[in-house]
């Protein structure tokens, strides 16, 4: 996906179309403290946040580039919508579509608030300027140069991303490991039991909280981790790194073990959590700032937990 996004962005820029798209959306993006060049990375992030982060390279200002990435994290990616509709339909049936609509509404509000918070530092008012650019004529792409630049960009992204993923995967392996392969013997289980009084405040039991933590590594891991915990299929580590699949009757098991308010809080938490580990790595790759990457990550973890807590306690009143 990242290769496809990078080459499409390069192609649009090469033929002269990217400048016209940026110009058309400059007024809309200005309301968020951004230039028109941010529109394409934000749209691409609905498919993959990693690709959206890579697409910000066309933005001239470092601050606006990082602000664009920060806002892109708020948009639910394709991996999120491989998980959330399954859970929404299992717990709410036909009303699951209302949950999806709610997520989009929260995402739009989230983007606006995030732009206000981070925009003060990354794109202050005095540094915001209108987009002044010369629209280049349309012309045929130089395919050789396009593929060469794309491969160079892709190599830079994945070289940094895989080094981070290997480290985190090793750490997560030891946390999730147990001699018999079951959840009860793992460090995560023991920690989960201890911190459950705290996680309950955020609307999640230790089981759903562990799945929430796994979503930081990969959104696709959520169903597999839930299956490993509730159905006993596979183990936590295999589920997190994508080597295990969800049990076919997972929906039935979840609805008997988890209340609707907890399920709704969990879906909110997963949706607005860190997109994935590679997205974090890609953000660092594009920003070259560990401090700002950490700030954005902590911000999203905190807001995900705050939102889940609010939704859980409100839902408890009506459900």
């Amino acid at each position: 996906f990242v290769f496809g996004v990078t080459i499409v962005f390069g192609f649009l820029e090469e033929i002269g179309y990217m400048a016209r798209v940026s110009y058309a959306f400059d007024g809309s993006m200005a309301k968020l403290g951004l230039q028109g060049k941010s529109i394409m990375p934000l749209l691409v992030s609905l498919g993959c946040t990693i690709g959206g982060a890579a697409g910000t390279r066309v933005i001239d200002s470092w601050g606006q580039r990082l602000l664009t990435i920060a806002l892109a994290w708020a948009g639910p990616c394709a991996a999120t919508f491989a998980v959330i509709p399954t859970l929404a339909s299992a717990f709410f049936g036909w009303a699951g579509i209302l949950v999806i609509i709610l997520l989009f509404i929260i995402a739009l509000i989230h983007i606006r608030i995030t732009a206000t918070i981070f925009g003060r530092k990354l794109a202050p008012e005095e540094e915001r300027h209108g987009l002044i650019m010369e629209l280049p004529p349309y012309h045929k792409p130089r395919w050789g140069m396009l593929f060469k630049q794309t491969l160079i960009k892709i190599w830079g992204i994945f070289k940094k991303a895989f080094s981070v993923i290997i480290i985190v995967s090793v750490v997560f392996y030891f946390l999730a490991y147990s001699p018999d392969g079951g959840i009860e013997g793992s460090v995560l289980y023991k920690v989960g039991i201890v911190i459950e009084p705290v996680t309950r405040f955020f609307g999640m039991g230790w089981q759903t909280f562990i799945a929430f933590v796994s979503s930081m590594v990969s959104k696709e891991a959520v169903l597999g981790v839930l299956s490993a915990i509730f159905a006993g299929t596979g183990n936590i580590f295999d589920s997190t790194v994508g080597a295990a699949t969800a049990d076919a009757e997972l929906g039935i098991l979840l609805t008997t073990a988890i209340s609707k308010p907890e399920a709704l809080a969990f879906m909110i938490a997963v949706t607005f959590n860190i997109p994935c580990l590679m997205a974090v790595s890609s953000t660092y790759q594009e920003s070259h700032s560990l401090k700002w990457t950490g700030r954005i990550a902590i911000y999203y973890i905190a807001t995900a937990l705050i939102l889940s807590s609010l939704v859980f306690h409100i839902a408890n009143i009506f459900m």
Side-chain angles (χ1 to χ4, degrees):
F1 188 90
V2 178
F3 175 81
V5 168
T6 305
I7 197 169
V8 167
F9 267 74
F11 174 77
L12 293 176
E13 190 171 12
E14 181 72 16
I15 65 175
Y17 186 73
M18 182 68 77
R20 288 165 171 80
V21 174
S22 301
Y23 179 78
F25 284 91
D26 187 58
S28 301
M29 291 294 98
K31 297 177 182 178
L32 297 174
L34 300 172
Q35 292 183 355
K37 292 181 179 180
S38 298
I39 184 63
M40 289 299 288
L42 289 176
L43 291 177
V44 169
S45 293
L46 295 176
C48 178
T49 310
I50 306 168
T56 60
R57 293 188 177 187
V58 301
I59 301 173
D60 303 320
S61 166
W62 177 86
Q64 292 196 354
R65 188 184 313 142
L66 188 54
L67 180 58
T68 301
I69 296 175
L71 299 186
W73 280 30
C77 65
T80 301
F81 282 101
V83 174
I84 300 303
T86 301
L87 297 175
S89 61
F91 282 95
F92 300 99
W94 66 268
I97 187 64
L98 299 179
V99 175
I100 305 301
I101 294 173
L102 174 64
L103 292 178
F104 273 108
I105 293 174
I106 294 176
L108 292 175
I109 298 173
H110 199 330
I111 288 174
R112 184 62 187 178
I113 294 174
T114 303
T116 302
I117 293 174
F118 286 108
R120 295 169 183 169
K121 288 286 187 179
L122 297 174
E125 291 282 351
E126 60 273 14
E127 295 182 10
R128 298 179 186 178
H129 307 289
L131 185 63
I132 301 175
M133 62 189 307
E134 180 181 353
L135 296 180
Y138 288 115
H139 53 81
K140 294 181 179 180
R142 296 167 295 177
W143 293 107
M145 181 64 68
L146 177 60
F147 278 104
K148 181 180 179 180
Q149 291 179 347
T150 299
L151 291 175
I152 292 174
K153 292 178 181 179
I154 292 297
W155 171 247
I157 292 172
F158 282 101
K159 182 180 179 181
K160 181 69 68 174
F162 281 126
S163 62
V164 175
I165 288 175
I166 289 173
I167 294 173
V168 175
S169 295
V170 170
V171 173
F172 201 85
Y173 171 79
F174 285 107
L175 291 176
Y177 174 79
S178 64
D180 59 357
I183 180 66
E184 291 81 4
S186 68
V187 175
L188 277 179
Y189 172 80
K190 297 174 183 177
V191 173
I193 293 297
V194 172
I195 67 174
E196 187 170 31
V198 177
T199 65
R200 281 294 177 190
F201 175 77
F202 300 112
M204 292 178 280
W206 70 266
Q207 301 97 326
T208 47
F209 187 78
I210 287 178
F212 166 75
V213 172
S214 72
S215 72
M216 299 181 192
V217 180
S218 169
K219 287 293 194 295
E220 296 93 333
V222 170
L223 294 179
V225 170
L226 289 174
S227 184
I229 294 174
F230 289 100
T233 57
N235 58 67
I236 301 296
F237 178 75
D238 287 343
S239 300
T240 302
V241 299
T245 57
D247 185 87
E249 298 183 355
L250 179 62
I252 299 175
L253 294 172
L254 291 179
T255 53
T256 58
I258 301 175
S259 66
K260 287 185 177 181
E262 181 179 349
L264 188 57
F266 173 67
M267 285 185 277
I268 293 290
V270 169
T271 300
F272 298 105
N273 192 14
I274 292 174
C276 67
L277 188 58
M278 285 195 69
V280 176
S281 180
S282 182
T283 299
Y284 173 67
Q285 175 72 15
E286 299 303 326
S287 66
H288 304 288
S289 173
L290 185 61
K291 180 181 73 173
W292 273 103
T293 302
R295 282 182 178 180
I296 295 172
I298 292 172
Y299 168 79
Y300 272 91
I301 294 173
T303 53
L305 292 174
I306 291 171
L307 285 171
S308 68
S309 179
L310 290 174
V311 169
F312 174 74
H313 292 293
I314 293 173
N316 258 331
I317 300 175
F318 300 100
M319 295 181 182

